[in-house]
Amino acid sequence: MKFLKLVVGASIAVLIFLLMQMSTTPKEAASASDGQPAATMIRGVRVFDGERVWPKADVVVRDGRIQDIGEHLAMPADAEIVEGQGRTLLPGLIDAHVHAWGDARKDALRFGVTTELDMFTDFHQLADARRERESLAATDRADLWSAGTLATAPGGHGTEYGMQIPTLTTPAEAPAWVAARKAEGSDYIKIVREDLHVYTDARKMPTLDAATAAALIAAAHAQGLKAVVHASAQEQARESLRDGIDGLVHVFQDAPADDALIQLAKRDGVFFVPTLTVVAGFAGEKSTLATDPRIAPFLSAAQTQTLASRLPIGDANPALIANARESVRRLHAAGVMLLAGTDAPNPHTAHGAALHEEIAQLVAAGLSPQEALKAATSLPAKAFGLSDRGRIARDLRADLVLVDGDPTTNIEATRAIVTIWKNGRRVDRDPAAKAVAVAAPAYPPGVISGFDQDLAAKDGGQWMPTTDEMAGGSSKAELVRIDGGAAGSAGALRMQGEVVLAGSWPWAGAMLHPGTQPMQPVDVSSRQELVFQARGDGREYSVMVFSGNDAQARPSIVNIHPGKDWQTLRLPLADFAGADLRQFRAVAITAGAPAGHFQLDVDAVEIR
């Protein structure tokens, strides 16, 4: 709260945006004195220990660790007894590909994912994450390892989210770039080889060339870090394998893996994180998790929304998932290590919940249920050097998941969770976003702002300038009403100013608060699209929707490219992945990198 007091009187819009980008320090529960038992015995339970199945065993947990595992153990006098008949005890699950911010790790833990391996997030949270994962204190979220900032080309994938990303263009820059990431706390290096050509012909992005990517791999290894690659095309994956990559964090989707590539991966012990769940979303498949009675009660509104959405890049293409599944089948048959990862919270995924879909996808692609469980427990721990988790064995961390049924024969039994323990303590599975959600008033239909007389919005709403100044940046924004708007209207809103690459996340533009107070939620769940007139200066702008029970949550973003003449922009609300339309708080239209002046005119704003 000290930080909040320092900025009283400043633009709340700016503050919220800053807080959205920053990671909050997790709250730790008190200690075992909060009513949790001193020890726990799970008795007479089937155990999958990460590597093999015990048909019937006892497991004793004390002080956050597994004290013992075996048959017919003596019952500790101070232990809570949990009967395991008809149930299976699993190691805490590990999602080997996520992007974590906001409540992501709380969401993950509710579904038994006790560890997340992040592939790109705000590096400012990494020091806290390291301290948390080394502790055995009670906690309400999964532990985190992360690549921090990813390696990409100027204007490449990863730069489109409004954050300033240190990019590379030559191999000579690689050693210093890797050293900077290591100093920030990155646990490994993620390298992007992606131009989107697998998904669409309409939009291409710059990407790292092979020489620069190879130099990054060498620099990472020289500094004691693993290097992993994002590649959706087989040729870029092949180049990365030749250059000594440790793992590929997607399986490519343009064609099934050929024999030469498979043998190269097998020879060098490279692991793959297929992320079939997110690929299925690209391909147009629909998730059923939100209607599964074992999953749905524990989803937040935002998770339900992302599961139902699809990333708007190109047309749905069933060949993408068909190629990915065939690659997984071939890689598995050859003995290449496969890890379960979801790419949450991208469309068609949700932190925690989607891992249960991912392991089912792996089984459908040829793994046995037990092999899929290894892909979500002991194998990611082995691949990333996580020595205290991923298995159920003496002295290891007591991250455990108890389920009804037998997921070693029916993989969907992982969804029937009975109890989760993190650091030996029971996890509360109540989705906080649902538990404390406040009903927002329905927002009346009609044009929000026509700007014929002034910059006011209907029903007391406000337009406010927003810039990165509160984050230590120097960008400027000014909002003015101009005469003569779209289609002969009397006026329009002009946002103008300058983007300066001095802060961590450069932005400048305008933010609309539809409620009578900044960030006050309204209900637009009956609406289908955000519609407005715009004319720009040729640069790309971001439209961000702030929503949900948490006013500090990360916004949902869609990028626009308005032309120099007035045009109607229709943005389906479904394209704002994760947006909770029942609690719609604000919408911002901002310019980001590159540096320089910007000018965008907006008129006739409406949520239809």
Side-chain angles (χ1 to χ4, degrees), residues 481-529:
R481 179 191 172 276
I482 60 172
D483 290 330
S489 72
L493 165 66
R494 172 165 292 172
M495 58 186 79
Q496 58 191 13
E498 183 178 8
V499 174
V500 179
L501 303 184
S504 297
W505 303 286
W507 82 87
M511 179 176 276
L512 166 67
H513 300 272
T516 56
Q517 299 292 327
M519 302 302 286
Q520 180 180 356
V522 297
D523 185 349
V524 298
S525 58
S526 63
R527 313 299 171 78
Q528 301 298 317
E529 58 184 358

Side-chain angles (χ1 to χ4, degrees), residues 1 10 22 71 80 137 154 162 175 200 206 236 281 290 332 349 365 371 381 395 414 485 489 520 522 540 586:
M1 295 303 295
M22 297 175 67
E71 298 181 8
E80 175 190 43
T200 178
Q236 281 68 48
H332 173 249
T349 73
E371 288 168 336
D395 298 327
T414 63
S489 72
Q520 180 180 356
V522 297
E540 182 179 72

